[in-house]
Amino acid sequence: MIELNKEVQRISQLPDEERLLALKRIIPRKTVQAVLRRVGRRQRYCRRLPGWFMVWFVIGLGFYGRDSYCQVFRWLQAHNRVPQRSTLCEARHSLGVAAFRLLWNEVVRLLADVSTPGAFYRDMRLMALDGFVVDLPDRPDLARIFGRPQSGRAAGAFPQARVLALCETGTHVIWRHLIKPIRCGEVTMASTLLRCLEKNMLLMWDRGFLSYATVAQVVERQAFLLARIKKNLIFTPLRRFCDGSFLAKVYPSSRHRAQDQDGIPVRIIEYTFKDRNRPGAGEKHRLLTTLLHPSVDPAKRLIELYHQRWELELAIDELKTHQRERPVLRSETPAGVIQEIYGLMLAHYVLRVLMFEAAEPEGIDPRRLSFTGTLKILRCRLPQCPKSAQGLAKWYKDLLTEIATEKLPERRDRINPRVIKRKMSRWPKKRPKHGDYPQPKQKFRQTIVMLN
């Protein structure tokens, strides 16, 4: 009886984890605990906040972007006693960053197979590479570590972190990513992510990434490339094909080009649009590809295929606009910023896995399901998760069924201008002197002076 009472007391001190168990198929608790052991974070900051729960708490911040720490805690576990915000912050701080980096590499995987609609071209998995920035709180430490965007007028309003992402376009899964200060350029960061490429991947990127070194990296990884190129790059036609494209070579420098040394064979596709209502109509556009055979890969087919690169832009929009739902991150320390970005992207991965599993039985493209609809369904259904294993399985099945009903209509063939509409403000611009603004020294009532 004494042992039984001790066991009951021990269990009563643990968090009510049933709501988190609902998603253990995607990020298993055993994997989280193993990662924490590897990085030496086995000790819990608070008895009621073990490490594995705090990892899920950080991910939960990505599900409930607008809610406070205490409210997120309530969403994740049915517990009457809610820790103070300072306790949750310290528990977050005790986790560090390394655990999230290892967890990402352990759980995030490519989802699509050859039967997934729109995920493959022939036997090549479609991938895209691009970057985005995240605004951070206006704090001196964050400005010093991450930096601010610079312009001809003044430094940016907020510090920013730069994220470079490698995305599976058919599922919007951000497979690998890199987080750096804003002063690090995307091209410099790209060499790290290109090491992750696998055989028979078809990578698409925008014109800013093209260089001899990056093309060589893609070829070395036995992957293929389809990229937009700048107008000022020189390519000498070596052989013209019947579809209008031509064979050329990429060289390390002009000297190598003059001597025809170390060139990488590529195929150049030049085209324009005859519809005046399309952006770039009448202008010359150029694509570079390492797919050299026009009989197998016709030029027009590759031109259409290149637009799959925009799926990464849509994935970034899901993460920054619909999921985050706040202008800046909430973390005010450099480690907390990196940790929060990992949590945000792990939450995005969980949502994309749910959408993929919901679309697969229906035989539809997972991109046809609504991301915001899935996010709102999960927010509503997670607190209803039952405790029994049988009820849990039924809950998960019903969740996928409900997500599958969130079908989007077929995408329209439309365009929108790349412009912004921002109202000018009558208030002065915030300057560094406004950061440490003088504060009152007396209570309001004490400062009142009556005038005769």
Side-chain angles (χ1 to χ4, degrees):
M1 179 61 72
I2 295 177
E3 294 296 326
L4 180 61
N5 290 337
K6 287 183 178 180
E7 182 66 14
V8 171
Q9 183 179 6
R10 185 187 70 83
I11 293 176
S12 66
Q13 293 171 347
L14 295 176
D16 184 353
E17 58 182 284
E18 301 303 331
R19 293 176 179 176
L20 300 179
L21 286 178
L23 303 176
K24 70 176 182 179
R25 297 175 68 254
I26 303 173
I27 303 181
R29 175 178 165 181
K30 290 184 178 179
T31 303
V32 176
Q33 291 175 321
V35 164
L36 292 173
R37 286 194 295 268
R38 286 176 60 185
V39 298
R41 301 286 180 175
R42 299 176 62 183
Q43 297 293 329
R44 63 176 68 182
Y45 171 77
C46 173
R47 178 177 296 179
R48 293 171 51 220
L49 301 174
W52 65 264
F53 172 79
M54 288 309 302
V55 169
W56 265 107
F57 177 80
V58 174
I59 298 173
L61 297 178
F63 290 138
Y64 303 97
R66 289 186 175 182
D67 292 339
S68 66
Y69 274 32
C70 295
Q71 184 58 47
V72 173
F73 182 89
R74 293 187 185 98
W75 288 126
L76 295 183
Q77 61 168 274
H79 205 289
N80 293 327
R81 296 179 58 191
V82 179
Q84 294 183 355
R85 182 183 183 277
S86 59
T87 304
L88 293 168
C89 288
E90 289 297 329
R92 264 194 67 190
H93 178 73
S94 67
L95 290 178
V97 174
F100 289 89
R101 187 179 298 114
L102 290 176
L103 181 64
W104 182 275
N105 294 332
E106 288 287 335
V107 303
V108 177
R109 59 185 179 86
L110 298 168
L111 300 179
D113 55 32
V114 292
S115 64
T116 304
F120 280 76
Y121 170 64
R122 296 199 281 121
D123 60 343
M124 292 174 283
R125 187 187 300 272
L126 299 180
M127 307 291 292
L129 179 72
D130 207 349
F132 61 95
V133 296
V134 181
D135 288 339
L136 312 178
D138 190 6
R139 296 290 182 269
D141 285 349
L142 298 183
R144 178 174 56 85
I145 297 298
F146 291 98
R148 298 176 186 267
Q150 302 294 324
S151 67
R153 296 177 58 191
F158 296 98
Q160 289 183 337
R162 189 184 301 278
V163 182
L164 187 66
L166 183 61
C167 174
E168 183 181 48
T169 62
T171 60
H172 288 193
V173 166
I174 297 177
W175 181 48
R176 293 291 181 262
H177 68 273
L178 199 60
I179 306 171
K180 292 289 183 180
I182 187 64
R183 59 180 171 269
C184 295
E186 292 179 349
V187 178
T188 305
M189 298 165 63
S191 60
T192 301
L193 283 191
L194 292 179
R195 299 172 194 162
C196 302
L197 289 177
E198 297 180 354
K199 185 178 179 180
N200 286 342
M201 284 182 170
L202 177 57
L203 178 64
M204 294 165 283
W205 66 44
D206 205 359
R207 53 190 168 188
F209 289 99
L210 186 69
S211 69
Y212 178 85
T214 53
V215 175
Q217 259 190 297
V218 174
V219 173
E220 182 183 2
R221 301 296 299 177
Q222 298 183 28
F224 299 94
L225 178 64
L226 180 60
R228 191 178 176 189
I229 55 179
K230 296 179 179 179
K231 297 179 180 179
N232 61 348
L233 296 180
I234 300 173
F235 293 95
T236 303
L238 303 178
R239 178 187 172 188
R240 291 198 175 272
F241 300 112
C242 58
D243 65 349
S245 62
F246 62 86
L247 188 67
K249 287 185 179 181
V250 177
Y251 294 97
S253 67
S254 57
R255 180 180 63 83
H256 288 82
R257 183 186 302 109
Q259 301 176 2
D260 193 18
Q261 290 182 348
D262 302 327
I264 300 176
V266 295
R267 186 168 148 222
I268 305 299
I269 302 171
E270 298 179 337
Y271 62 98
T272 188
F273 304 116
K274 62 181 181 180
D275 186 348
R276 294 182 180 180
N277 290 333
R278 288 192 176 275
E283 301 175 7
K284 184 169 72 171
H285 305 273
R286 297 197 297 174
L287 297 179
L288 176 148
T289 181
T290 55
L291 300 171
L292 304 180
H293 304 288
S295 58
V296 181
D297 305 299
K300 284 191 175 182
R301 179 69 185 95
L302 295 182
I303 293 169
E304 292 178 321
L305 187 65
Y306 177 72
H307 286 263
Q308 293 290 320
R309 186 189 73 81
W310 285 93
E311 297 298 332
L312 175 52
E313 301 285 355
L314 296 176
I316 293 171
D317 177 68
E318 293 168 357
L319 194 146
K320 290 184 63 176
T321 304
H322 304 293
Q323 184 183 339
R324 188 180 60 177
E325 293 185 328
R326 55 173 55 229
V328 298
L329 297 185
R330 65 179 89 207
S331 301
E332 298 183 358
T333 64
V337 164
I338 298 176
Q339 189 186 92
E340 186 175 350
I341 293 175
Y342 268 101
L344 192 68
M345 299 182 75
L346 281 167
H348 182 270
Y349 174 72
V350 169
L351 291 166
R352 273 293 159 187
V353 171
L354 292 173
M355 295 171 69
F356 178 80
E357 293 183 356
E360 198 170 25
E362 303 287 329
I364 63 174
D365 190 330
R367 297 171 296 185
R368 284 284 312 279
L369 297 180
S370 169
F371 179 84
T372 54
T374 301
L375 176 59
K376 292 177 179 179
I377 288 172
L378 184 62
R379 287 173 176 172
C380 292
R381 302 307 178 203
L382 193 58
Q384 301 173 2
C385 183
K387 294 183 178 181
S388 66
Q390 184 178 1
L392 196 65
K394 184 179 184 302
W395 177 91
Y396 194 84
K397 182 179 178 181
D398 292 342
L399 178 70
L400 296 182
T401 302
E402 188 173 3
I403 292 173
T405 64
E406 291 291 318
K407 293 186 179 71
L408 297 171
E410 291 284 352
R411 290 181 184 173
R412 291 176 285 173
D413 188 10
R414 62 174 183 173
I415 58 173
N416 289 296
R418 300 187 72 177
V419 295
I420 61 172
K421 182 178 180 181
R422 182 171 295 173
K423 181 180 178 181
M424 297 298 293
S425 175
R426 64 186 178 91
W427 300 105
K429 181 179 176 61
K430 184 178 180 180
R431 303 294 181 183
K433 65 181 180 180
H434 299 126
D436 189 17
Y437 208 67
Q439 299 299 312
K441 297 181 179 179
Q442 296 177 321
K443 297 293 185 180
F444 177 75
R445 184 181 182 86
Q446 296 174 343
T447 62
I448 299 175
V449 177
M450 301 301 298
L451 301 177
N452 294 331

